[in-house]
Amino acid sequence: MLRDRIRHRPLMDKLVTADEAAAMIEDGMVIGMSGFTRAGEAKAVPLALAERARKHPLKITLMTGASLGNDLDKTLVDAHVVARRMPFQSDPALRKAINAGEVMFIDQHLSETVEQLRTGQIAPVDIAIIEAVAITEHGGIVPTTSVGNSASFAILAKKVIIELNLSQPTTLEGLHDIYIPSKRPARMPIPVVTPESRVGLPYIPIPPEKIAAIVVSEKHDSSATIQPPDNDTRAIAGHLIELLLEEVRQGRMGHDLLPLQAGIGTIANAVLHGFIDTPFHDLKMYSEVLQDSTFELIDAGKMSFASASSITLSAEMYQKVLPKLAEYKHHLVLRPQEISNHPEVIRRLGLICINTALEFDIYGNVNSTHVGGTQMMNGIGGSGDFARNAYLSIFVTKSIAKNGAISSVVPMVSHVDHTEHDVDIVVTEQGLADLRGLAPRERARLIIDRCVHPNYREALDDYYQRAVSRGGHTPHILEEALSWHQALREKGSMRG
Amino acid sequence: MLRDRIRHRPLMDKLVTADEAAAMIEDGMVIGMSGFTRAGEAKAVPLALAERARKHPLKITLMTGASLGNDLDKTLVDAHVVARRMPFQSDPALRKAINAGEVMFIDQHLSETVEQLRTGQIAPVDIAIIEAVAITEHGGIVPTTSVGNSASFAILAKKVIIELNLSQPTTLEGLHDIYIPSKRPARMPIPVVTPESRVGLPYIPIPPEKIAAIVVSEKHDSSATIQPPDNDTRAIAGHLIELLLEEVRQGRMGHDLLPLQAGIGTIANAVLHGFIDTPFHDLKMYSEVLQDSTFELIDAGKMSFASASSITLSAEMYQKVLPKLAEYKHHLVLRPQEISNHPEVIRRLGLICINTALEFDIYGNVNSTHVGGTQMMNGIGGSGDFARNAYLSIFVTKSIAKNGAISSVVPMVSHVDHTEHDVDIVVTEQGLADLRGLAPRERARLIIDRCVHPNYREALDDYYQRAVSRGGHTPHILEEALSWHQALREKGSMRG
């Protein structure tokens, strides 16, 4: 019943079609839309907007939490609607437009976008479009499978359009914890002190009169296409679990470890999956997205609680989790990405952070975003929020890509997202390098010996030896440092 | 009177000579020593240690707060005492040994060293050597002109050697605020909510029986050799003040601005000095080191409070400030560098952070540490702690160096300490580029137009145009990206 979902009665008058809602959007506007890692994005209004733009061209700045599902970024880009986009994306069509210079993409730490909005340092949000599972008696918005930046978008926007998604289960209500940091300079500590801490409201509090339109939708979230573990990801998980067992043996933590964070994607998911067959127990997550592995660990009795900003699952896992959400809810909380990724909370809790590198170099600098130093993949996302303040900052990648044409371990990364100061551990299927407390020359020795693929080991060692003969705290041969990437560009392989 | 300075009577028995104290240090030990930006370092024991090592060689790991004065790093390196050094230094002799690979230097964010120590992730401190102005009735250590890492070194070390410096005024007592974050995972919020917040003790609390020796010293801190403002630094200050006036006009802050942080060195000092002739008032600092400009601003009635981890002044300013310390003390607090530089507090307070770049590139990536990508200067220091979580992250540099042989604005930095995600504003004497909310191509346009020296503008623009023709989110020509640094290395000038 719609009345159970729109519990503030006067808002029933705001029900409109997606086309009518999209007509509120004007050329040049800044739109803040829900959606984080393909979960909980507004789905009907952006499609209507694209449709409209095909007849009557217009351009907007589109802000979201992170990536969108349902090919929305593609549809909007194909309709030439997106002039500017922030703070993250993972769509091939949008990526192409970004790399062609057609869309201005602002690649940001996911915790920072709303700080800049709140202080007026970037253009204000004209309209927020938020997917909701319900609107409370007092007009509070109950988000769906992600919180992302939705709360601040709704609070800061001049108008709010709600997409009420009837396909999302009402059991989502109560899952969210909406806490917004107070304005500076009078800001108080963020009171999250454990992953379980509930410090806010289960809905986004806005004056109901700001809600300009409500559109009913029934579209589902896109399911994640996670690859199953393979030998390489199993090997990476194995190295990492061995490291954590040693941390326990050294008395640095118990078998419940410290709260875990894992970036989105196949490798991180496979690593967490590997925790099922370990002596670890009572694990907790404080992460930005919950993938299949979180629920596998909960089901296996290994994980007791998980905090994040979104839930993104495979089709099978959605079918399993959504009907039982009322049970899982006791183990879960979804927060604004500003809080899930907040440096203050990350540093306080002391997280074990596992993120994926595109490539890393012999000194442990990490490139997470740019293929060949120039072509944007997705964006830095939350990796910087987590890596900088982690108890253990771990980056994982397979040692080679494209059938060996690419080495993920290179003399110098072609783009830096995480400097050596922020990287404690690097892991490939070949092995793990524990870089804590080491100087650059020591880091290089370990990375070359442990992490690089045998096909590239000799060449990398040769580069390093010749670089050392030139001296320096961080030895390099500048005219060769990026030659592997040049060879890839010119000849299709780093082997030259 | 010594009895006024050693108020825990049983400790009078621990008085020894510097030679006797130095004899406690054994080969292979990890020594944690006071000292931050050439302020408050232990002075007598390290000299005795160097003397001893000339006859009986030994090697140690030396940790400090940051850089040391009194040529201590040089003396220790000349005596071949230092095997490993962290987390910062600024000594030419040590720098040479680091770049030759003779000393392993671990270049760390200044807030992080004691986190790693506390969790046992790096080798534990055997002996802490702490300069003190007094020891309290219960054995508490009252530091001198810096706190740095002294508190955690003393708390975590097996033994503590005190250097009681009789030349330091007893009015220093009450200046310090020693707060140590609790152990994770049960850590509570750090309760600092304004620069003035006092949340700890005015001394370092340790059991007095841990104090193994007390050495009396009368050596002074080295004074800072700050260059006076010149036309270039005045121009940089001018651009920056114009930016801040605009922030006020936009209603983003009042004329009291937000708390200021300024890195050590001539340019940052000159910029702060420039604030004297502005409409700003009731300014506050939340920084890591207080230089001459802080006291000039206090004297001018422009600054009401300053928090830091050390005080480092010119000889003239020391003579002025030390006798009047009791008066200045109401406007000052010195904290552990973990707190002065803590991401949690920095983000909460919303700081305006001004740090010096060695070079930056057309996309706003900053190199703070490595000349030509390989030769370490000093270290990243606190710049990363501040830049990442600042309200405004500003980097300043003169547009050229070495009589124009070096352009500080380059196609690609040869080493990355701060990625474009963490850099809001770059300023040279040529002008200021406000990069907030801009995509890389927009950043490049602004930086080339505003910041680069006219002698290099055409070449940089030419590089960028040709890079853009190759496409990409962050266009580059990999085989040319570091060619300016190559030319400098081979021909002594970036002009080739």
Side-chain angles (χ1 to χ4, degrees):
Chain A
M1 291 273 287
L2 209 49
R3 296 169 63 98
D4 297 337
R5 301 248 190 176
I6 304 178
R7 302 204 295 265
H8 185 71
R9 288 287 161 267
L11 286 176
M12 293 294 283
D13 298 342
K14 300 288 183 179
L15 280 164
V16 298
T17 65
D19 288 343
E20 287 170 318
M24 295 177 176
I25 298 167
E26 294 167 24
D27 187 49
M29 275 190 168
V30 177
I31 305 300
M33 207 166 87
S34 65
F36 190 96
T37 59
R38 299 154 56 91
E41 73 275 351
K43 298 168 178 80
V45 179
L47 286 183
L49 179 67
E51 190 59 37
R52 174 186 154 203
R54 276 186 213 103
K55 291 166 219 154
H56 307 286
L58 87 173
K59 294 270 190 196
I60 63 166
T61 293
L62 179 60
M63 298 183 185
T64 57
S67 55
L68 303 177
N70 284 297
D71 287 334
L72 280 181
D73 265 322
K74 174 180 164 45
T75 307
L76 289 167
V77 164
D78 287 350
H80 306 288
V81 174
V82 184
R84 305 178 73 75
R85 182 77 174 87
M86 63 176 75
F88 187 82
Q89 57 78 40
S90 67
D91 181 89
L94 175 52
R95 188 181 293 151
K96 201 173 155 197
I98 289 167
N99 286 317
E102 293 159 13
V103 173
M104 292 294 103
F105 176 53
I106 298 94
D107 173 25
Q108 293 188 307
H109 298 302
L110 293 188
S111 76
E112 292 190 354
T113 308
V114 297
E115 289 276 26
Q116 289 197 316
L117 264 184
R118 189 181 294 127
T119 49
Q121 294 189 83
I122 51 178
V125 174
D126 294 295
I127 298 181
I129 313 177
I130 311 295
E131 187 179 77
V133 70
I135 299 171
T136 68
E137 288 71 7
H138 301 98
I141 304 165
V142 182
T144 58
T145 46
S146 71
V147 179
N149 284 324
S150 299
S152 285
F153 286 163
I155 290 167
L156 297 169
K158 291 158 203 155
K159 284 184 198 176
V160 179
I161 297 172
I162 300 293
E163 273 200 24
L164 198 69
N165 191 325
L166 304 183
S167 82
Q168 297 279 20
T170 51
T171 44
L172 282 166
E173 200 166 344
L175 178 61
H176 314 91
D177 185 54
I178 309 297
Y179 175 88
I180 305 292
S182 46
K183 280 203 182 185
R184 297 177 298 201
R187 183 178 293 178
M188 288 291 112
I190 295 167
V192 174
V193 295
T194 70
E196 298 94 322
S197 294
R198 282 192 167 269
V199 299
L201 298 167
Y203 53 82
I204 301 166
I206 59 163
E209 52 275 18
K210 262 180 71 169
I211 297 177
I214 301 174
V215 174
V216 171
S217 131
E218 301 200 26
K219 288 183 203 294
H220 293 275
D221 283 349
S222 299
S223 54
T225 49
I226 291 285
Q227 303 298 317
D230 60 22
N231 284 341
D232 286 345
T233 60
R234 267 190 287 267
I236 290 170
H239 300 313
L240 204 43
I241 287 165
E242 186 46 50
L243 170 90
L244 294 174
L245 286 169
E246 183 59 26
E247 292 291 304
V248 174
R249 277 193 290 271
Q250 293 287 332
R252 293 182 193 139
M253 52 184 80
H255 277 97
D256 55 350
L257 304 181
L258 283 161
L260 299 162
Q261 177 265 334
I264 198 163
T266 295
I267 300 182
N269 190 60
V271 167
L272 279 193
H273 179 87
F275 280 40
I276 288 179
D277 301 315
T278 62
F280 306 134
H281 52 74
D282 291 309
L283 297 171
K284 293 177 187 174
M285 287 190 85
Y286 193 84
S287 197
E288 57 185 22
V289 54
L290 305 182
Q291 297 183 261
D292 284 18
S293 50
T294 300
F295 293 88
E296 288 161 4
L297 286 167
I298 291 175
D299 288 346
K302 287 286 184 187
M303 181 164 286
S304 60
F305 199 86
S307 164
S309 195
S310 78
I311 298 174
T312 304
L313 303 178
S314 67
E316 300 79 13
M317 193 56 91
Y318 271 126
Q319 291 195 334
K320 197 173 154 190
V321 167
L322 288 184
K324 288 167 60 186
L325 197 62
E327 291 169 46
Y328 283 113
K329 216 158 60 175
H330 303 295
H331 303 281
L332 303 174
V333 63
L334 294 189
R335 308 179 188 279
Q337 69 195 69
E338 184 180 11
I339 305 299
S340 65
N341 289 34
H342 204 291
E344 171 175 338
V345 181
I346 293 165
R347 182 83 163 246
R348 180 180 302 145
L349 299 182
L351 305 187
I352 297 170
C353 297
I354 306 163
N355 289 288
T356 305
L358 206 58
E359 60 177 8
F360 58 84
D361 68 25
I362 53 174
Y363 300 112
N365 298 289
V366 170
N367 175 5
S368 302
T369 55
H370 282 69
V371 177
T374 61
Q375 304 290 311
M376 171 57 64
M377 271 294 286
N378 301 333
I380 193 167
S383 58
D385 288 324
F386 287 102
R388 170 67 59 90
N389 286 300
Y391 166 90
L392 262 183
S393 165
I394 301 165
F395 281 90
V396 295
T397 182
K398 297 185 182 191
S399 70
I400 50 172
K402 299 233 161 150
N403 293 315
I406 294 175
S407 172
S408 308
V409 192
V410 293
M412 177 188 268
V413 285
S414 55
H415 180 90
V416 178
D417 290 295
H418 310 288
T419 72
E420 54 130 343
H421 310 96
D422 298 336
V423 180
D424 295 321
I425 311 275
V426 286
V427 196
T428 69
E429 80 290 347
Q430 298 294 319
L432 177 149
D434 184 345
L435 307 174
R436 287 176 288 179
L438 298 186
R441 290 175 186 223
E442 298 168 312
R443 297 166 76 103
R445 192 66 268 144
L446 216 50
I447 288 172
I448 295 168
D449 290 347
R450 302 274 171 87
C451 299
V452 69
H453 191 276
N455 290 356
Y456 287 97
R457 190 169 292 150
E458 206 174 314
L460 200 59
D461 192 47
D462 176 61
Y463 172 85
Y464 175 63
Q465 298 295 349
R466 287 182 295 114
V468 165
S469 74
R470 285 195 180 182
H473 177 61
T474 304
H476 268 303
I477 301 168
L478 289 189
E479 62 272 29
E480 263 185 56
L482 299 173
S483 63
W484 293 28
H485 301 88
Q486 274 168 248
L488 177 66
R489 184 177 179 276
E490 290 161 15
K491 300 170 192 163
S493 171
M494 284 190 178
R495 291 197 219 175
Chain B
M1 290 271 289
L2 209 47
R3 298 169 59 99
D4 298 338
R5 302 248 190 175
I6 306 178
R7 302 204 295 265
H8 184 71
R9 286 287 162 267
L11 286 176
M12 293 295 283
D13 298 342
K14 300 289 184 180
L15 280 163
V16 298
T17 66
D19 288 343
E20 287 170 317
M24 295 176 177
I25 297 168
E26 294 167 24
D27 188 48
M29 275 187 167
V30 177
I31 305 299
M33 207 165 88
S34 65
F36 190 98
T37 57
R38 299 153 57 91
E41 73 276 352
K43 298 168 179 80
V45 179
L47 286 182
L49 179 68
E51 191 60 36
R52 175 187 154 204
R54 276 184 213 105
K55 292 166 216 149
H56 307 285
L58 86 173
K59 293 270 189 199
I60 62 166
T61 293
L62 179 60
M63 296 182 188
T64 58
S67 55
L68 303 177
N70 284 296
D71 286 333
L72 279 182
D73 265 320
K74 174 181 166 44
T75 308
L76 289 168
V77 164
D78 287 350
H80 304 288
V81 174
V82 184
R84 305 177 73 74
R85 182 77 174 88
M86 63 177 75
F88 187 84
Q89 57 78 41
S90 66
D91 182 89
L94 175 53
R95 188 180 295 151
K96 202 173 155 195
I98 288 167
N99 286 317
E102 292 159 13
V103 173
M104 292 295 102
F105 176 52
I106 297 94
D107 173 26
Q108 293 186 306
H109 298 302
L110 294 186
S111 76
E112 292 190 353
T113 308
V114 297
E115 289 275 26
Q116 290 198 314
L117 265 182
R118 189 179 295 128
T119 48
Q121 294 190 85
I122 52 177
V125 174
D126 293 295
I127 298 181
I129 314 178
I130 310 294
E131 186 177 82
V133 71
I135 299 171
T136 68
E137 289 71 7
H138 300 98
I141 305 165
V142 182
T144 59
T145 45
S146 71
V147 179
N149 285 323
S150 298
S152 285
F153 286 163
I155 290 167
L156 296 169
K158 292 157 201 157
K159 285 184 198 177
V160 178
I161 297 172
I162 300 292
E163 274 201 22
L164 198 69
N165 192 324
L166 304 183
S167 82
Q168 297 278 20
T170 51
T171 44
L172 283 166
E173 202 167 343
L175 178 61
H176 314 90
D177 184 53
I178 310 296
Y179 176 89
I180 305 291
S182 47
K183 280 202 183 186
R184 297 177 296 200
R187 184 176 293 176
M188 288 290 111
I190 296 168
V192 175
V193 295
T194 71
E196 298 95 323
S197 294
R198 282 191 167 268
V199 299
L201 298 167
Y203 54 82
I204 301 166
I206 59 164
E209 51 276 17
K210 262 180 72 170
I211 296 177
I214 300 173
V215 175
V216 169
S217 132
E218 302 201 25
K219 288 183 203 297
H220 294 273
D221 282 348
S222 300
S223 55
T225 49
I226 291 285
Q227 304 297 318
D230 60 22
N231 284 341
D232 285 345
T233 60
R234 267 190 287 268
I236 290 170
H239 299 313
L240 205 43
I241 287 163
E242 187 46 49
L243 170 88
L244 295 174
L245 286 169
E246 183 59 26
E247 292 290 304
V248 174
R249 274 192 293 268
Q250 293 289 330
R252 293 182 192 137
M253 52 185 80
H255 277 98
D256 54 351
L257 303 181
L258 284 162
L260 299 162
Q261 177 265 334
I264 197 161
T266 295
I267 300 182
N269 191 60
V271 168
L272 278 193
H273 180 87
F275 280 40
I276 289 179
D277 300 314
T278 62
F280 306 134
H281 53 74
D282 290 309
L283 297 171
K284 293 178 186 175
M285 286 191 86
Y286 193 84
S287 197
E288 57 185 22
V289 53
L290 305 182
Q291 298 184 262
D292 283 18
S293 49
T294 300
F295 294 88
E296 290 161 2
L297 287 168
I298 291 175
D299 288 347
K302 286 285 183 187
M303 181 164 286
S304 59
F305 200 86
S307 164
S309 195
S310 78
I311 298 174
T312 303
L313 303 177
S314 68
E316 301 78 18
M317 194 55 90
Y318 271 126
Q319 292 195 333
K320 196 173 156 191
V321 167
L322 288 183
K324 288 167 57 186
L325 198 61
E327 291 169 49
Y328 282 112
K329 215 158 60 175
H330 303 294
H331 303 282
L332 303 174
V333 62
L334 294 188
R335 308 179 189 278
Q337 69 196 70
E338 185 181 10
I339 304 299
S340 65
N341 290 34
H342 204 291
E344 171 175 338
V345 181
I346 293 165
R347 183 83 163 246
R348 181 180 300 146
L349 298 182
L351 305 185
I352 296 169
C353 296
I354 305 162
N355 289 288
T356 305
L358 207 58
E359 61 178 6
F360 58 83
D361 67 26
I362 53 175
Y363 299 112
N365 299 288
V366 170
N367 175 7
S368 301
T369 56
H370 283 70
V371 177
T374 62
Q375 304 289 312
M376 170 58 62
M377 272 295 287
N378 302 333
I380 193 167
S383 59
D385 288 324
F386 288 102
R388 170 68 60 91
N389 287 299
Y391 166 89
L392 262 183
S393 166
I394 301 165
F395 281 90
V396 295
T397 182
K398 296 185 182 189
S399 70
I400 50 172
K402 298 235 163 145
N403 293 317
I406 293 174
S407 172
S408 307
V409 192
V410 293
M412 177 189 267
V413 286
S414 55
H415 179 92
V416 178
D417 290 296
H418 310 287
T419 71
E420 53 130 341
H421 311 97
D422 298 336
V423 180
D424 295 322
I425 311 275
V426 287
V427 197
T428 69
E429 81 289 350
Q430 298 295 317
L432 176 150
D434 184 345
L435 308 174
R436 288 175 287 180
L438 298 187
R441 291 177 186 219
E442 297 168 313
R443 296 166 78 102
R445 193 65 270 146
L446 216 51
I447 288 173
I448 295 169
D449 290 347
R450 302 273 171 87
C451 299
V452 69
H453 191 276
N455 290 356
Y456 287 96
R457 190 168 294 151
E458 205 174 317
L460 201 58
D461 192 46
D462 177 60
Y463 173 85
Y464 174 63
Q465 298 294 350
R466 287 181 296 114
V468 164
S469 74
R470 286 196 180 183
H473 177 61
T474 305
H476 267 304
I477 302 168
L478 288 189
E479 62 272 29
E480 262 187 56
L482 299 172
S483 63
W484 291 29
H485 302 89
Q486 274 167 250
L488 178 66
R489 184 176 178 275
E490 289 161 14
K491 301 171 191 162
S493 170
M494 284 190 179
R495 290 197 220 176

